[in-house]
Amino acid sequence: MSVHYQRHGDIGVIQITNPPVNALSRAVRRGLVDALDEGITDADAKALVVLADGRTFIAGADIREFGKPPQDPLLPDVITHLEACPKPLIAALHGTALGGGLEVALGCHYRVALAGARVGLPEVKLGLLPGAGGTQRLPRLVGVEPALEMITSGRFVEAEEALEAGIIDAISNAETPLDAGLAAAKEVLAGNQTSRITGQLPPPSADPQAIDSTLSRLHQESPDLFSPFRIVEAVEACVTAETLQDGLRSERELFLACMDSPQRAGLIHLFFAARSPHLVPNIDNAKAFNRVALMGEHPLFERLQKAAQRAGITLTSAPDAATELCLLAPNTPMDAAVGCPVIKLDEIGISSGTEAALQLVIPEGGSMVELVNLSAEPLIQQQAALTLKTLKANVMVSQRQSLLNTMHAEIKEASGSGRQSALEQASLSIAKNGFCYRESDIDLLGVEALGYPRHLGGPHRQATLKETH
């Protein structure tokens, strides 16, 4: 069951169970409405608590529903129903409350969070804006300037900052969300804490200076993006609308405009591309190596060493009889590594020329590295990629020839205005020659490592769109 209701004494508890991150699927939305109705009609329940099972509160929308027609009940209607609850309604947060998850919490009358919880409205990163009241309720709690900063950046806010800003009402040292929620409900019922209906709070004071400074920053940092400017319009509507419902209508219109934007499609494409670029097709049940030798010196090695202890991987500076994988820094001789698979590190555009079965290409300043299979068994490449990922490296796999080096060679001589076109042409060649496992991998590398505009969704996506028009 996605959502169920149970009473603890005189407090009703609405518990969401939709692993792994309690996403707001249609079943969860429907379940919230039904469980709330059950709690409202339960005469013995004087207050209600909304919480989630597992490692986190609601972490956002259900990605399985992306791109599909919306199904009732829509999240804005669910939150309106929550907010209208005639009994005190407490949200007990843990882990993350993101996007629609935070909007659900804002629709409750009191918010308590476990230590370490984080909240955020990151929709802007997908070319959207919060479409279930986030742009209308958050400013009522924190004011125009903090709301604009938080929503246009999409950043996560730690519990302490959220408490100081007024997003949440308390931080609990309880062990579980249930304990925190029940304790908070008892405090509210005893009159020691005050619950408030967010939508009934007065709109924030007009802050034209915050609006102007935000617009100035957006024009400077991201003039080509669509959704951040619609966010500003939505927050302005919160100030100027005569009622909450008027503001919500404006927000919905702006949300639908973002949904129709090509940028939203491009950013969603990259979102899915980033989910599993480290996976080699048709390789199942592979496991990371446990003992790795890092030979020579390289800044990447320092980052891997910081993650090794927590990852449970032993790193050494030289191979021994138990070594399962060797990583060789540039200019480290191949004969220094024997008896195990070898990954040779190369900076982008600079090859050592040393023949190793696996090559790790490191871009300048980029967060993503590329593990190229030159002659290794696919299983070995997958194990190596899993090892790097376990060590917190952002790794993508490819075969036969480096995608990064291929694209870098194409743009090396191109002018600033021609780099984008050069990347698009290179992407078509890469796909045709089968160097990538997934065409979306080209897009991910183009954006993350080579500066291709994120909102366009990547060079191969754009090149294929141009071919079809």
Side-chain angles (χ1 to χ4, degrees), residues 38-223:
E38 188 175 352
I40 291 171
T41 57
D42 183 351
D44 293 322
K46 297 178 181 178
L48 303 177
V49 173
V50 176
L51 54 81
D53 197 13
R55 59 187 173 89
T56 188
F57 191 68
I58 302 165
D62 191 335
I63 63 172
R64 293 170 296 185
E65 296 182 6
F66 283 7
K68 296 181 180 179
Q71 292 182 301
D72 289 332
L74 300 181
L75 186 58
D77 299 329
V78 173
I79 294 172
T80 296
H81 198 55
L82 290 169
E83 194 167 61
C85 177
K87 301 177 181 182
L89 182 61
I90 291 90
L93 313 180
H94 74 296
T96 55
L98 302 176
L102 178 55
E103 289 176 302
V104 165
L106 295 176
C108 296
H109 309 156
Y110 187 92
R111 287 160 293 283
V112 60
L114 296 188
R118 296 186 296 169
V119 302
L121 295 169
E123 287 89 346
V124 68
K125 297 178 181 179
L126 295 179
L128 296 170
L129 58 77
T135 67
Q136 304 304 298
R137 293 187 176 92
L138 184 65
R140 281 173 158 80
L141 292 171
V142 305
V144 169
E145 185 174 8
L148 282 173
E149 187 280 326
M150 182 173 163
I151 305 174
T152 59
S153 70
R155 71 181 180 92
F156 294 1
V157 175
E158 303 291 338
E160 291 79 8
E161 182 184 350
L163 177 63
E164 185 177 350
I167 303 170
I168 62 175
D169 298 290
I171 298 175
S172 172
N173 58 7
E175 291 293 323
T176 68
L178 177 61
D179 291 339
L182 293 176
K186 290 174 184 176
E187 289 290 293
V188 168
L189 290 174
N192 298 325
Q193 296 291 336
T194 303
S195 62
R196 303 175 297 168
I197 297 175
T198 310
Q200 292 182 0
L201 297 176
S205 301
D207 193 342
Q209 184 176 349
I211 297 289
D212 290 344
S213 61
T214 300
L215 288 173
S216 177
R217 173 176 58 82
L218 293 175
H219 280 297
Q220 183 176 358
E221 295 176 358
S222 51

Side-chain angles (χ1 to χ4, degrees), residues 26 41 47 49 54 70 118 173 194 266 275 279 281 315 355 392 406:
R26 184 193 186 191
T41 57
V49 173
R118 296 186 296 169
N173 58 7
T194 303
R275 290 181 61 78
L279 296 182
L315 301 181
E355 195 61 39
K392 303 303 181 185
T406 302

Side-chain angles (χ1 to χ4, degrees), residues 347-350 359 361 370 372 398-413 419 422-436 442 445 450:
E347 303 292 342
I348 187 171
I350 304 173
Q359 176 191 33
V361 182
E370 179 191 9
V372 190
S398 61
Q399 60 183 345
R400 293 165 40 207
Q401 183 170 305
S402 165
L403 314 189
L404 272 173
N405 282 335
T406 302
M407 289 190 283
H408 181 266
E410 287 292 324
I411 64 174
K412 193 173 181 181
E413 304 301 327
R419 286 171 57 93
L423 281 173
E424 292 168 6
Q425 291 304 309
S427 76
L428 294 173
S429 173
I430 289 168
K432 181 178 179 181
N433 287 297
F435 299 148
C436 60
I442 310 171
L445 276 180
L450 296 171

Side-chain angles (χ1 to χ4, degrees), residues 66-67 123-128 224-227 257-275 439-448 452-465:
F66 283 7
E123 287 89 346
V124 68
K125 297 178 181 179
L126 295 179
L128 296 170
D224 296 327
L225 297 188
F226 183 77
S227 66
C258 291
M259 284 290 290
D260 289 339
S261 167
Q263 293 186 9
R264 192 270 313 177
L267 291 167
I268 293 287
H269 170 75
L270 283 176
F271 172 82
F272 283 107
R275 290 181 61 78
E439 293 176 353
S440 61
D441 292 342
I442 310 171
D443 293 323
L444 195 60
L445 276 180
V447 169
E448 297 293 348
Y452 191 88
R454 179 176 295 274
H455 64 276
L456 297 179
H460 190 265
R461 181 177 183 275
Q462 279 299 308
T464 51
L465 284 174

